[in-house]
Amino acid sequence: MAADSTRPRPRSGAEIREAFLAFYERQGHRRMASASLVPDDPTVLLTIAGMLPFKPVFLGQAPPPAPRATSSQKCIRTNDIENVGRTARHHTFFEMLGNFSFGDYFKEEAIAWAWELTTEVFGLDPANLVVSVFREDDEAAALWRDAVGVDPKRIIRMDEADNFWASGPTGPCGPCSEIYYDFHPERGDDGIDLEDDSRFIEFYNLVFMQYNRDAAGTLTPLARRSIDTGMGLERMAQILQQVPNNYETDLIYPLVEAAAALAGVDYRALDARAQTSLKVIGDHSRAITQLIADGVTASNLGRGYVLRRLLRRVVRHGRLLGIDRPFLAVMGEAAIELMAPAHPQLPERREVILAELVREEARFLDTLERGEKLLAEVLAARPERISGDAAFELYDTYGFPLELTAEIAEEHGLTVDLDGFEAAMERQRQRAKAAAVSIDLTLQGAIEQVAGALEPTDFRGYEALDQPACVLALVVNGEPATAAAAGDAVQIVLDSTPFYGESGGQVGDRGVLLAGEGAAGVGGGLIVAIEAVSRNRSVFVHSGRIERGRLAVGDVVQARVDRSCRRRAQAHHTATHLLQAALKQVVDEGVSQAGSLVDFDRLRFDVHCPRALTPAELERIEDLVNGWIAEAHPLEVAEMALERARAAGAVAMFGEKYGEVVRVVDVPGVSMELCGGTHVANTAEIGLFRIVAETGVAAGIRRIEAVAGPALLPYLRERDRVVRELADRFKAQPGEILERVALQGEELRATLKELAAARGALAAAKASALAERAEALGSHRLLVERLDGVDGAGLQEAAQRLQQQLGEGAAVVLGGLPDPADLGKVILVAAFGPAVVASGAKAGAFIGGIAKLCGGGGGGRPQLAQAGGRDGAALDGALAEARRLLTAQLGGG
């Protein structure tokens, strides 16, 4: 970046963020907090744009929070992940500063304010600014030229691909106008090319949402035109801090320095490749810290896969820099400290974040070891070169660096097919881009379309379980309809309902809709069995089947909730609150909920906890919950402002979205939570609580399953039936069952030991008979034979005995089917004497290659190794190949 005395003084990232938000507050915008990186939107995995939290508002499916809003929204994008660190401004995690108008102001104000902010607040010289407009947007071009005073030569018209925003093939859309910073205005205004990244950087995008596009492509002006803008915080920081790339701003560079200190290097003294690794670590450390803070845990699916991939890239680039010890927790601490002032939830989630980083790093280091073994197998097959697909599998599946694969291959006199690797990488990039970039505001099915056109359902199920309601909409067998008949599968929307719609972990109610004689409790009339109730944009959708009669839009029905199911769900939901309170007392006050299920027959509670709970802890938790039940605490339910509820100490379910007014469920002195679910009036109604299982379901997450209230009796009856049957089978009293089982276990172990000894003796006897078949190859002796009916341990023992019997120059290979009737399992063993190993033959590498001929693989030590296969029909051919290869290798000895 060329020096320029006219440039404004540098500003910190925090100052830039605050200056933007404060400016738009002065223009009447409401400041909004950043939404979670986990969006309340099924069409995208992660929050990828600043406007995403306002998508329902732009679609008209939700009321705007205010006519004007401004925010600094945290975002994640990984579709260009390979460019992170290589270019000046590609990131995974970034913050998008935005100002929004929901049918309020439009182009004139948006353009004027954007220019005022840019030139007066941030102090950028107009000589360094260029704007782009859509080629047909004469209105925007005129505003920039006449109202703002931009030189016409610096107003660039661009095509639809660059300057026309669309939510999808149909729906809201409109032209864009972007502001670019020109690092080299001395190059003149003729022939400006905004694609020149070395000269221009786009930092502010104004979207003028003014049309609706129908299926035929026709554009119709919107009645309420809106504004959606985005300014990249990191990009503006690069400009104002006068650094050559986003990574050297104060938003990221402290993390680059932290990584450099761990590697014992100086960022400024490194070559471009090593600097890229430090930039990747700095960028990804922000992303993984924020993702974990927002409740994402590493896995092989969805958001968890995104997190795992980023975590592993950090570790991989650390190893490239020579960091040979676990270091993710150190980077996590640095990221939390750096971002905490703007994101206070990070220090609140510190323990969860660091625990996830430590666990996932340890798991990946184990994975890397497996990758090294896989590479050893590839090399054992003696290829002419390492294929691009094999190198990419090592890289993508195991996180094995391409550079390391190439280095190891070179040691073996091989090369890597780099073109093939790049082709595999490009295929992955295209898959990612095809799946990740656009936000489709129109992705809807029949029920989504119906729900999108209706007002939120009036839920009355806290007070009543039986009430009249009017049918507002019907979907029959997946298609919108006006009427339905007996046998039809239906989804029904009522104007009001006593049925609880699935939410917050609690399942929806069951029950019936009745009309005519059915509602009066006599034969005839309408009966609709409601099997589930869900929510779609606050519209309750009743799913079921018409058992009798006909139903039409506009009909009045009697909505009747199954009281037994509701009682069970209420008992389990209140028990879940008591369980969380007990966990905080027994395990750690900092434990937090990771998910829950409140069903009619059971409850399930997932908790962030780095270890398994002990039996004593589970017993203590049970005692606490049952004690609170016995104390008969009356529940107090109230609605209040969110901030007031939090100030009172109410616990929020992490990841849940709350409005300004929340429902607080309080068990005085025990638990206070934000919750929209249904509950008992008094804890005594629960009756009894019993934990039935505690297991691990993901890294750092434990799952507790329990039964409470009316559902406990069927559970206890089933357990009692099992105990009685076991007592009958063992001819013992219930208290004697464990002793009888232990005794039979000891007898079984003794029998198995005797059986193993007998098999070993049989294998030894068979082996001794094979020794005389060994072939002399100079100073070596070779024995390759088939030995069926022997398990892996027996075959390995036989091979070792034969090698020792035949001497230090012996090479023994045995293969067989443990069960001769099962061709799907093959075992191969190689035992090489010291002289054979000294000649260059390695048992592990050799037997792994032979096993591939039987559809398997494996390996082990140079002296002794075992492998397996799945194709018994190929065993004889594999043994023949083993004999040929060893004869060729040892025959000259």
Side-chain angles (χ1 to χ4, degrees):
M1 183 181 298
D4 187 341
S5 60
T6 65
R7 289 230 173 100
R9 63 178 178 84
R11 296 172 183 260
S12 71
E15 289 172 335
I16 295 169
R17 184 190 299 110
E18 179 56 31
F20 183 98
L21 297 174
F23 173 81
Y24 279 105
E25 276 189 310
R26 292 194 296 272
Q27 316 308 325
H29 292 64
R30 179 176 176 181
R31 186 184 297 214
M32 305 293 294
S34 174
S36 170
L37 287 172
V38 179
D40 188 16
D41 186 328
T43 67
V44 288
L45 276 180
L46 295 163
T47 300
I48 61 175
M51 61 76 63
L52 189 64
F54 301 114
K55 172 180 165 182
V57 178
F58 285 123
L59 275 174
Q61 297 163 352
R68 305 174 181 183
T70 185
S71 68
S72 178
Q73 176 61 47
K74 54 188 181 182
C75 303
I76 288 274
R77 290 184 190 173
T78 59
N79 50 300
D80 286 318
I81 193 171
E82 294 304 323
N83 287 325
V84 172
R86 300 181 187 277
T87 69
R89 54 195 72 107
H90 273 97
H91 297 295
T92 53
F93 174 83
F94 59 96
E95 288 186 63
M96 188 61 74
L97 305 169
N99 57 287
F100 307 91
S101 165
F102 307 111
D104 187 14
Y105 64 85
F106 200 49
K107 289 183 186 178
E108 183 175 359
E109 295 89 342
I111 288 174
W113 287 334
W115 191 257
E116 181 183 350
L117 173 73
T118 301
T119 59
E120 296 184 20
V121 176
F122 292 140
L124 297 187
D125 188 339
N128 290 90
L129 301 177
V130 176
V131 297
S132 68
V133 296
F134 178 50
R135 64 171 184 265
E136 299 172 12
D137 193 355
D138 295 332
E139 179 185 9
L143 285 168
W144 284 117
R145 183 188 65 240
D146 301 332
V148 173
V150 177
D151 185 335
K153 289 186 176 181
R154 299 181 77 81
I155 301 173
I156 310 302
R157 293 180 182 260
M158 301 185 75
D159 290 334
E160 186 170 356
D162 296 300
N163 276 61
F164 194 92
W165 180 88
S167 62
T170 61
C173 58
C176 305
S177 187
E178 297 165 323
I179 308 178
Y180 289 76
Y181 189 81
D182 182 358
F183 292 108
H184 298 286
E186 71 279 1
R187 296 180 184 174
D189 300 336
D190 296 328
I192 285 178
D193 178 10
L194 293 178
E195 298 296 321
D196 182 357
D197 287 343
S198 67
R199 178 177 176 182
F200 299 103
I201 177 174
E202 178 237 316
F203 64 85
Y204 204 178
N205 183 19
L206 315 180
V207 175
F208 310 127
M209 207 177 297
Q210 65 187 95
Y211 301 113
N212 182 69
R213 180 155 50 194
D214 62 21
T218 303
L219 297 178
T220 305
L222 290 171
R224 290 173 59 84
R225 301 179 301 178
S226 298
I227 292 292
D228 157 29
T229 81
M231 173 186 285
L233 174 61
E234 291 78 9
R235 295 189 178 194
M236 182 54 75
Q238 180 199 345
I239 294 168
L240 292 177
Q241 294 173 24
Q242 303 181 52
V243 292
N245 56 71
N246 293 2
Y247 302 96
E248 295 184 29
T249 68
D250 68 339
L251 294 166
I252 305 176
Y253 193 64
L255 299 178
V256 172
E257 288 187 310
L262 287 169
V265 297
D266 177 3
Y267 170 81
R268 304 291 179 187
L270 296 175
D271 60 19
R273 176 181 291 185
Q275 284 189 346
T276 295
S277 288
L278 286 173
K279 291 174 185 176
V280 168
I281 294 173
D283 170 88
H284 289 10
S285 293
R286 298 201 310 163
I288 60 181
T289 302
Q290 292 279 3
L291 282 169
I292 298 170
D294 278 357
V296 180
T297 55
S299 70
N300 289 327
L301 295 172
R303 302 179 186 104
Y305 174 74
V306 173
L307 173 60
R308 174 163 287 172
R309 188 179 181 201
L310 294 174
L311 282 162
R312 294 185 169 189
R313 280 174 59 86
V314 174
V315 176
R316 187 162 55 80
H317 280 279
R319 287 169 71 95
L320 289 175
L321 290 166
I323 304 176
D324 57 359
R325 61 195 182 281
F327 70 98
L328 278 186
V330 177
M331 293 305 304
E333 285 277 17
I336 291 170
E337 181 180 355
L338 178 65
M339 296 187 289
H343 304 279
Q345 76 275 17
L346 292 176
E348 294 172 4
R349 301 273 292 167
R350 182 188 305 273
E351 291 187 12
V352 171
I353 293 168
L354 298 182
E356 176 74 0
L357 293 175
V358 169
R359 281 190 300 271
E360 189 62 20
E361 184 170 23
R363 182 177 288 109
F364 180 45
L365 292 176
D366 289 341
T367 300
L368 270 178
E369 290 184 11
R370 293 197 295 272
E372 290 167 350
K373 290 180 180 177
L374 178 61
L375 180 56
E377 290 181 12
V378 171
L379 294 170
R382 297 179 177 84
E384 294 182 0
R385 68 192 306 201
I386 305 296
S387 72
D389 286 339
F392 183 74
E393 180 185 1
L394 284 162
Y395 168 82
D396 191 52
T397 304
Y398 295 94
F400 210 72
L402 176 63
E403 295 86 351
L404 188 55
T405 299
E407 182 181 324
I408 295 173
E410 185 178 359
E411 293 173 359
H412 289 75
L414 301 174
T415 59
V416 177
D417 178 6
L418 299 180
D419 290 339
F421 176 89
E422 284 301 325
M425 178 71 77
E426 182 59 27
R427 289 193 295 271
Q428 187 198 57
R429 287 194 194 104
Q430 294 307 319
R431 288 192 298 270
K433 286 185 178 181
V437 187
S438 64
I439 304 172
D440 191 346
L441 301 185
T442 64
L443 190 62
Q444 300 173 328
I447 196 62
E448 285 80 9
Q449 295 173 24
V450 169
L454 297 174
E455 295 295 321
T457 303
D458 180 12
F459 174 60
R460 300 179 181 175
Y462 295 134
E463 302 84 19
L465 298 181
D466 192 338
Q467 67 159 73
C470 179
V471 177
L472 297 182
L474 263 177
V475 171
V476 179
N477 299 321
E479 297 293 335
T482 57
D488 286 339
V490 292
Q491 292 175 293
I492 303 165
V493 178
L494 305 173
D495 62 340
S496 64
T497 183
F499 285 83
Y500 183 81
E502 181 174 350
S503 178
Q506 180 177 334
V507 298
D509 281 327
R510 295 175 184 169
V512 292
L513 302 182
L514 306 169
E517 295 177 341
V522 297
L526 170 76
I527 299 178
V528 184
I530 300 301
E531 300 155 358
V533 182
S534 59
R535 304 189 193 198
N536 194 301
R537 304 181 184 125
S538 298
V539 173
F540 286 46
V541 180
H542 306 71
S543 299
R545 187 172 296 275
I546 298 181
E547 294 186 348
R548 190 172 66 205
R550 291 182 58 81
L551 180 68
V553 173
D555 285 354
V556 174
V557 297
Q558 192 70 19
R560 187 169 297 166
V561 174
D562 185 315
R563 293 176 182 270
S564 174
C565 287
R566 171 66 78 85
R567 280 196 299 271
R568 288 170 174 240
Q570 288 180 164
H572 282 134
H573 205 150
T574 306
T576 300
H577 286 210
L578 300 181
L579 171 59
Q580 177 160 233
L583 281 163
K584 288 180 177 293
Q585 281 198 27
V586 174
V587 181
D588 183 355
E589 180 62 34
V591 300
S592 60
Q593 183 176 349
S596 68
L597 171 68
V598 175
D599 210 336
F600 306 121
D601 301 319
R602 64 188 174 120
L603 69 87
R604 188 180 72 210
F605 189 83
D606 294 346
V607 60
H608 289 285
C609 184
R611 60 173 178 82
L613 276 65
T614 67
E617 287 174 326
L618 293 172
E619 187 173 323
R620 174 66 178 145
I621 290 166
E622 265 192 355
D623 289 344
L624 278 172
V625 173
N626 283 307
W628 291 326
I629 291 171
E631 289 166 3
H633 293 273
L635 271 70
E636 299 176 2
V637 180
E639 290 190 349
M640 62 182 71
L642 176 60
E643 292 308 315
R644 180 185 162 202
R646 284 177 169 160
V651 176
M653 165 58 183
F654 191 78
E656 280 289 308
K657 309 296 189 297
Y658 298 101
E660 293 184 1
V661 177
V662 294
R663 185 169 181 265
V664 178
V665 177
D666 186 14
V667 183
V670 178
S671 163
M672 180 187 287
E673 295 192 29
L674 306 184
C675 181
T678 63
H679 290 270
V680 298
N682 189 295
T683 59
E685 295 176 31
I686 300 174
L688 199 62
F689 170 86
R690 174 70 173 161
I691 294 175
V692 300
E694 190 274 345
T695 55
V697 293
I701 297 179
R702 306 299 299 181
R703 171 168 292 172
I704 296 175
E705 296 182 69
V707 183
L712 190 55
L713 184 58
Y715 169 81
L716 293 176
R717 281 177 175 160
E718 173 62 17
R719 293 302 180 271
D720 186 57
R721 182 190 64 78
V722 172
V723 170
R724 286 199 308 272
E725 290 185 5
L726 287 172
D728 290 343
R729 182 166 298 183
F730 286 108
K731 307 300 181 187
Q733 294 299 315
E736 300 170 343
I737 292 175
L738 285 177
E739 183 180 344
R740 292 291 179 87
V741 170
L743 181 61
Q744 288 204 1
E746 290 176 5
E747 293 174 353
L748 178 59
R749 283 191 291 274
T751 302
L752 290 174
K753 189 175 181 180
E754 292 173 2
L755 180 60
R759 285 177 173 169
L762 177 61
K766 289 182 176 181
S768 62
L770 294 175
E772 61 188 36
R773 301 185 188 178
E775 307 171 42
L777 298 173
S779 61
H780 297 109
R781 301 188 73 186
L782 174 63
L783 179 62
V784 180
E785 291 292 339
R786 178 167 178 163
L787 194 59
D788 290 331
V790 181
D791 63 14
L795 205 64
Q796 197 170 118
E797 182 179 350
Q800 278 186 292
R801 287 191 180 188
L802 282 165
Q803 183 272 309
Q804 292 166 0
Q805 182 179 347
L806 294 172
E808 294 189 356
V812 177
V813 176
L814 299 180
L817 306 177
D819 179 359
D822 180 8
L823 293 177
K825 184 174 183 181
V826 177
I827 295 177
L828 291 154
V829 174
F832 292 176
V836 176
V837 175
S839 73
K842 304 290 190 292
F846 181 81
I847 205 65
I850 296 301
K852 289 183 182 296
L853 301 177
C854 296
R861 302 191 307 275
Q863 295 85 8
L864 180 66
Q866 180 175 317
R870 298 181 297 274
D871 183 5
L875 176 58
D876 288 335
L879 291 174
E881 178 64 8
R883 180 179 288 106
R884 186 189 68 79
L885 291 173
L886 286 172
T887 299
Q889 185 166 356
L890 303 177

